[in-house]
Amino acid sequence: MPFDTITMCATLAECAPLRSGRVTKIYQPDRFSVLLRCYTAVGNLKLLLSAHPVDGRLQLSERTYANPAKPPLFCMVLRKHLEGAKITAFRQPPGERVAEIDFAARNEIGEATNRRLVLEVMGKHSNLILLDPDTNLIIDAARRYTHNVSRYREVLPGSVYLPPPRNDKPYWQDLNEEEFALRLLNGDLTLAPAKLLQNEFSGLSPYLCREVTIRAGIEDTTAEELGEYEISRLYAALKQLGEIAANENFCPVLLGKEPDWRDYYALPPANGAPHAEFPSMSKALDAFFDARQERQEFDAAKKRLQKLLTREQQRLRKKIKLEQTDYANASQAEQYKNAGDLLSAYLYLVQPGQTEIELPDFYQPERMLKIKLAPELSPSENVKRCFHHYNKAKNTERQIRLQLEANCNELDYVESLLIALDETAKLSEITSIEQEMQAAGYLKRPEGRSKPKDSATSLEPKRYQTSDGFLVLLGRNNRQNDRLTCKLAEKNDLWFHTQKIPGSHVILRAEAGREFSDQAISEAAALAARHSRAKEADKVPVDYTAAANVKKPNGAKPGMVIYTGQQTVYVTPRELTPAE
């Protein structure tokens, strides 16, 4: 993220209302970040100072942050020195990603003291340091370290504060055009112009260097081709950006498209790449990190639920495989009945103590059947034994068949959850599936937490449009499938579902005075196939019928229905155009 000198300049400019504001509360949401709640002439404002290795920044924030139950030590030190203090000044050393905030405070005995909070945004070396500006001694820091970590300085309570080490590169705003050109031409001319700028001057981020070359119109020029004209344009582009920063004429943007923002910056991209403008840099940062946090929570939740459902899917598949083997063995019950019938008919041939006997088959007399006998039993007891095995096998077969059917239905249900999970794009959709899994017993509801509101009712079905204008509705998950089919669908609508394949319910809306076209039916079926387990197949059977013919049995799992009067079409899965 390009939180460079320009971006910090933009956020510091927005902190003007904090001057003369008073610090009322201090929080430390994580080990890198501090939140100052300040009372100002325009009301309460929150100032976020983050020394995160990747997301280091300074901004006014309207976001809500979770705070630890026990405040960290650094937070307690800040509360001791800064709560009740008045903010007197904000500073940014030229060309540095460093912000200095001065406070007028009072010590334990009520004497006036000065304090300074220094935020250094330097990647993995970022830090937040509290010091006494009168003595330049460090009071404490978010990250303490000794000379064993840094030979240049140590950051420990009582140590003298040294600013971050500067490289030997000049700050570009300190040079006139001639000095700028000389420095540039003495650099490595095998590099691209943007990389050359970054190598030779301080205060320029990679993003800003690319922007400068685009604004100068030389983004496709190699450094070796730089002449007086090109260098002059580069210098003019840099000067223009410097004037924008000096006059605080920023235009904060988020790069990319919502909600998948790619980056943020204080100026719109010169190449016209997709972006959205925001009224302030702080609001842009809030929107960016809100979207990223939601994406991280979404990815983590989706991965967790997928892992749980995949484990359940594997368990059911293994169980079904074993039950199919048991069912095949139990299906041999007729052999026991046939053996019992033969022994009854030829009982006079059975001799006590025999271990087996061969008798002609009733249905194929030329074929002899070998029947095993229990030598310790009498002939009539052996007959009873065969019929006992027959009855036991029939009972076992019936029980296994019922259990196998139940497990196959449950496997279909689990796979429908996996399909719905794969289709999710928002955290609210994940929440709805999570609630369904809790209701189904696959996931425990956190202790002490009341039953949440059904989020499936707050989510609208996905809306599509066929090429000839019919509206198509698609359920996002099983519970929404139920709502779509049983509550939202009208009796004259058409209902679609892949034949014996888990997938979403699809409704093709009827229109007064208009017959359903073959094209609309085919496209709605293709959409149902696309949002099913068979979405990668070439041809998928899809059943469709009037919505009035679809019923939900009592006690059936979410998304499970029965239907009659269906017709079947074979289609290639594909998406439709989303309806506006």
Side-chain angles (χ1 to χ4, degrees), residues 342-343 346-359 368-383 385-386:
L342 283 174
L343 285 177
Y346 296 101
L347 190 62
Y348 62 92
L349 295 178
V350 182
Q351 300 297 321
Q354 276 186 283
T355 58
E356 62 180 30
I357 188 172
E358 287 189 355
L359 298 172
M368 301 296 289
L369 292 180
K370 184 179 290 186
I371 301 173
K372 291 185 178 181
L373 302 173
E376 69 277 7
L377 301 179
S378 67
S380 60
E381 288 174 334
N382 269 297
V383 173
R385 174 174 173 270
C386 287

Side-chain angles (χ1 to χ4, degrees), residues 14 54 62 79 101 110 117 122 169 205 208 219 247 252 262 268 319 359 372 388 451 456 471 486 502 526 559 574:
E14 296 169 5
V54 177
E62 297 176 0
R79 288 178 178 179
I101 309 174
L117 197 55
M122 303 184 301
K169 296 185 291 187
S205 66
L208 185 57
E219 66 272 21
N247 297 325
R262 191 178 72 254
K319 193 173 181 180
L359 298 172
K372 291 185 178 181
H388 171 74
K451 185 177 179 179
L471 177 64
C486 303
R574 72 181 182 92

Side-chain angles (χ1 to χ4, degrees), residues 199-498:
N199 275 13
E200 296 301 321
F201 303 101
S202 67
L204 297 175
S205 66
Y207 180 87
L208 185 57
C209 289
R210 289 195 301 271
E211 282 293 295
V212 168
T213 59
I214 294 172
R215 288 170 181 262
I218 63 167
E219 66 272 21
D220 297 325
T221 305
T222 64
E224 293 176 337
E225 296 171 337
L226 292 178
E228 183 178 344
Y229 173 76
E230 288 79 12
I231 293 175
S232 178
R233 288 187 61 85
L234 273 178
Y235 187 75
L238 277 170
K239 279 295 183 182
Q240 183 186 32
L241 291 176
E243 290 172 3
I244 289 174
N247 297 325
E248 299 179 358
N249 292 329
F250 301 107
C251 180
V253 297
L254 291 186
L255 307 178
K257 294 183 179 180
E258 188 178 9
D260 300 318
W261 303 118
R262 191 178 72 254
D263 237 328
Y264 56 81
Y265 204 60
L267 300 170
N271 61 0
H275 65 278
E277 296 183 3
F278 284 78
S280 71
M281 193 68 237
S282 292
K283 288 185 181 296
L285 289 168
D286 271 353
F288 179 84
F289 286 101
D290 272 341
R292 199 176 70 168
Q293 180 179 347
E294 182 169 340
R295 171 55 61 180
Q296 290 172 343
E297 291 176 0
F298 170 85
D299 290 341
K302 186 173 183 178
K303 184 177 180 180
R304 175 173 58 87
L305 297 185
Q306 278 180 329
K307 183 177 179 181
L308 191 153
L309 288 172
T310 300
R311 186 168 65 242
E312 191 68 20
Q313 180 191 43
Q314 292 171 346
R315 182 188 71 82
L316 286 168
R317 284 179 174 175
K318 183 178 180 180
K319 193 173 181 180
I320 287 170
K321 187 176 181 180
L322 293 173
E323 287 172 345
Q324 286 173 336
T325 302
D326 291 341
Y327 185 74
N329 294 333
S331 298
Q332 299 174 1
E334 292 300 322
Q335 295 180 10
Y336 290 115
K337 183 177 182 300
N338 195 21
D341 290 340
L342 283 174
L343 285 177
S344 297
Y346 296 101
L347 190 62
Y348 62 92
L349 295 178
V350 182
Q351 300 297 321
Q354 276 186 283
T355 58
E356 62 180 30
I357 188 172
E358 287 189 355
L359 298 172
D361 191 348
F362 284 143
Y363 306 103
Q364 301 179 36
E366 70 281 0
R367 178 181 171 218
M368 301 296 289
L369 292 180
K370 184 179 290 186
I371 301 173
K372 291 185 178 181
L373 302 173
E376 69 277 7
L377 301 179
S378 67
S380 60
E381 288 174 334
N382 269 297
V383 173
K384 291 180 181 179
R385 174 174 173 270
C386 287
F387 285 114
H388 171 74
H389 284 312
Y390 165 71
N391 291 327
K392 183 178 180 181
K394 288 297 288 183
N395 289 333
T396 301
E397 179 186 11
R398 183 169 59 253
Q399 292 171 1
I400 292 176
R401 184 179 70 251
L402 293 174
Q403 189 63 42
L404 182 60
E405 183 179 343
N407 285 330
C408 286
N409 289 337
E410 186 175 2
L411 179 61
D412 285 344
Y413 178 64
V414 168
E415 290 182 342
S416 73
L417 287 171
L418 280 167
I419 292 168
L421 196 60
D422 188 52
E423 298 283 334
T424 54
K426 297 180 180 179
L427 190 59
S428 56
E429 296 172 1
I430 291 280
T431 302
S432 180
I433 294 174
E434 189 171 24
Q435 290 172 359
E436 183 180 346
M437 290 174 63
Q438 289 172 352
Y442 298 122
L443 197 62
K444 288 185 178 181
R445 186 177 294 120
E447 292 183 8
R449 188 175 297 179
S450 59
K451 185 177 179 179
K453 181 180 178 182
D454 188 356
S455 61
T457 60
S458 62
L459 288 172
E460 290 298 321
K462 292 183 179 179
R463 297 163 58 89
Y464 297 87
Q465 195 170 35
T466 64
S467 57
D468 53 357
F470 281 94
L471 177 64
V472 183
L473 303 178
L474 173 82
R476 297 171 186 264
N477 52 58
N478 287 321
R479 292 196 297 170
Q480 197 180 78
N481 284 339
D482 281 350
R483 181 167 173 261
L484 174 62
T485 299
C486 303
K487 293 185 178 181
L488 300 182
E490 301 290 341
K491 63 180 181 179
N492 293 326
D493 294 341
L494 286 185
W495 178 88
F496 293 77
H497 195 279
T498 43

Side-chain angles (χ1 to χ4, degrees), residues 529-544:
R530 172 62 182 81
H531 293 268
S532 74
R533 190 176 63 186
K535 63 182 179 181
E536 303 296 335
D538 291 332
K539 290 293 181 182
V540 180
V542 177
D543 289 340
Y544 71 93

